[in-house]
Amino acid sequence: QLQLVQSGGGSVQAGGSLRLSCAVSGSTRGACMAWFRQVPGKEREKVAWIDWIDRENDAGTTDSVKGRFTISFDSAANTLYLQMNSLKPEDTAMYFCAADRSCSVPRRWDWGQGTQVTVSS
């Protein structure tokens, strides 16, 4: 099981940027990692992912954030990032990082504690 500790987030005006961080304890070799977000009353939505953490070309983002959000992993720091640019009010949500060290099918995620992102118009 991986331990994930998030930092970053906060409040920003529309058009601004934020970066979320997720420090991972444990081996991430071959892991799958992702960022999710959730608003009250809705299901948790996966917004960005890296499958097989040592192959960044397997990264992707959902259509609603494409071109604005970038997921990356710093192997030296064992930290996952989500760079969020051109933020919109509809990006307001609780954001969670997640990791599956075995990249299982279906995924068996370990979760970060969550961090709130609020975008004002």
Side-chain angles (χ1 to χ4, degrees):
Q1 189 173 5
L2 298 172
Q3 305 296 321
L4 290 75
V5 178
Q6 295 181 225
S7 59
S11 298
V12 66
Q13 289 192 325
S17 298
L18 287 171
R19 189 176 78 159
L20 305 182
S21 301
C22 176
V24 184
S25 298
S27 174
T28 54
R29 184 174 178 82
C32 291
M33 306 193 79
W35 288 97
F36 290 75
R37 67 186 180 187
Q38 189 170 26
V39 297
K42 291 192 175 182
E43 290 188 1
R44 197 168 289 190
E45 172 193 23
K46 187 164 68 173
V47 296
W49 57 89
I50 300 178
D51 290 340
W52 304 104
I53 200 67
D54 49 352
R55 300 206 297 264
E56 285 200 43
N57 59 328
D58 286 342
T61 54
T62 194
D63 286 347
S64 62
V65 307
K66 200 172 294 292
R68 300 188 297 119
F69 289 13
T70 303
I71 187 172
S72 62
F73 183 75
D74 182 340
S75 57
N78 225 35
T79 299
L80 182 72
Y81 298 101
L82 184 67
Q83 179 66 44
M84 305 183 292
N85 298 328
S86 302
L87 282 160
K88 304 176 180 180
E90 52 263 42
D91 295 318
T92 296
M94 184 72 78
Y95 284 72
F96 298 88
C97 61
D100 178 348
R101 71 187 312 167
S102 302
C103 218
S104 314
V105 178
R107 300 282 187 261
R108 293 194 294 265
W109 297 113
D110 296 316
W111 295 97
Q113 79 275 21
T115 187
Q116 179 68 36
V117 171
T118 302
V119 184
S120 57
S121 58

